[in-house]
Amino acid sequence: MRILVLQHLASEHPGIFRSHFARDAVEWDAVELDEGGVIPALEPYDALWVMGGAMDVWDVDEFPWLVEEKRVIRRWVRELQRPFLGICLGHQLLADALGGTCGPQKPPEVGVFDVDLVAAGKIDPLFEGLATSFPALQWHSVRVAQPPEGAEVLASSPICAVQAMRATPRAWGMQYHVEAELEAVREWACVPDYRAALERTNGEGAMERLQAEIAAHAAAFEANAAILYRNFMRLARE
């Protein structure tokens, strides 16, 4: 198994999944798009993962490489029809690339909140073995407002209707940070835009409170990530 990972910030990496990759000898190549990384030929790869980032899907003037990234996502999902996983910004880019729409998340959803599987999610093979409601790390001020035509919503939360979706039979996106681990969040604390956004939403000292909350949920985060990883890899090999 060889996975291509598109990153938009060095600290927005596959997080907890890296230990699973190492254990299973999964090859993965990360392209740091915000640092000028070039997306390689797609054919050698078995799966495409697109991670989070501080930019928004419509910031194409400031980040023109977003245009090419969306084209690659469309080709991967529609033409090659290979397994895809998008997280946070990656989830939004999947929707945007396939003709859905994204808009502001009001209020921003930042912190640990419950995500609820809807009817389609309860029978989707990617979520097999998960509880119907589970805690997840949220950190977004943009949401998928309208999923692409033909997509199924799989999970929601009280203020964000599209927490997870399956856009095509082999392409999934999740708004929440299933890859979350405390080490990565500590790295996010060093990103001025992230810290400022968090404190605007949750007040002074919000980063330290969030780190404590993540530590308290670490076991649940790890267990849920392991279930999703096993399911994704099984589906990717089918």
Side-chain angles (χ1 to χ4, degrees):
M1 176 68 69
R2 190 177 181 193
I3 299 176
L4 176 62
V5 178
L6 302 184
Q7 296 184 185
H8 314 96
L9 192 68
S11 58
E12 290 266 18
H13 46 64
I16 200 168
F17 294 115
R18 295 175 298 175
S19 61
H20 294 285
F21 293 162
R23 182 198 63 212
D24 295 343
V26 172
E27 295 181 55
W28 63 286
D29 298 326
V31 178
E32 198 66 52
L33 294 170
D34 59 307
E35 296 180 0
V38 177
I39 299 174
L42 301 178
E43 285 73 16
Y45 294 95
D46 302 298
L48 176 63
W49 287 29
V50 180
M51 309 309 296
M55 62 289 300
D56 297 322
V57 295
W58 50 75
D59 288 341
V60 294
D61 289 337
E62 186 176 358
F63 307 102
W65 43 262
L66 283 167
V67 175
E68 173 65 8
E69 183 178 18
K70 294 177 194 180
R71 186 195 68 79
V72 165
I73 291 171
R74 270 193 305 276
R75 179 166 179 254
W76 183 270
V77 170
R78 287 265 168 85
E79 295 179 26
L80 300 179
Q81 298 182 16
R82 295 183 185 177
F84 176 96
L85 187 69
I87 295 174
C88 198
L89 176 60
H91 164 72
Q92 298 160 12
L93 286 168
L94 174 63
D96 189 84
L98 299 186
T101 58
C102 297
Q105 170 66 54
K106 296 181 180 180
E109 195 175 26
V110 184
V112 176
F113 301 100
D114 283 345
V115 169
D116 301 310
L117 297 181
V118 301
K122 292 174 184 177
I123 60 173
D124 192 277
L126 185 67
F127 295 104
E128 182 180 340
L130 281 177
T132 57
S133 182
F134 51 87
L137 174 62
Q138 306 281 357
W139 200 318
H140 65 109
S141 57
V142 173
R143 77 194 197 287
V144 173
Q146 180 62 52
E149 184 177 356
E152 280 195 294
V153 176
L154 304 177
S156 67
S157 67
I159 65 170
C160 181
V162 188
Q163 281 290 345
M165 68 178 180
R166 185 174 62 195
T168 70
R170 307 190 83 192
W172 292 269
M174 281 156 286
Q175 183 59 69
Y176 57 95
H177 284 277
V178 66
E179 86 290 8
E181 58 181 356
L182 190 55
E183 176 191 344
V185 176
R186 286 180 177 135
E187 293 174 7
W188 297 354
C190 299
V191 180
D193 287 350
Y194 280 10
R195 178 176 281 274
L198 179 61
E199 292 187 348
R200 278 197 306 271
T201 303
N202 293 347
E204 186 176 350
M207 181 64 75
E208 290 70 28
R209 291 194 298 273
L210 179 59
Q211 289 177 354
E213 195 171 12
I214 291 168
H217 288 88
F221 288 172
E222 289 182 18
N224 290 342
I227 291 170
L228 187 135
Y229 171 81
R230 288 195 301 270
N231 289 342
F232 181 88
M233 298 301 281
R234 183 187 73 249
L235 293 165
R237 290 186 172 99
E238 291 181 351

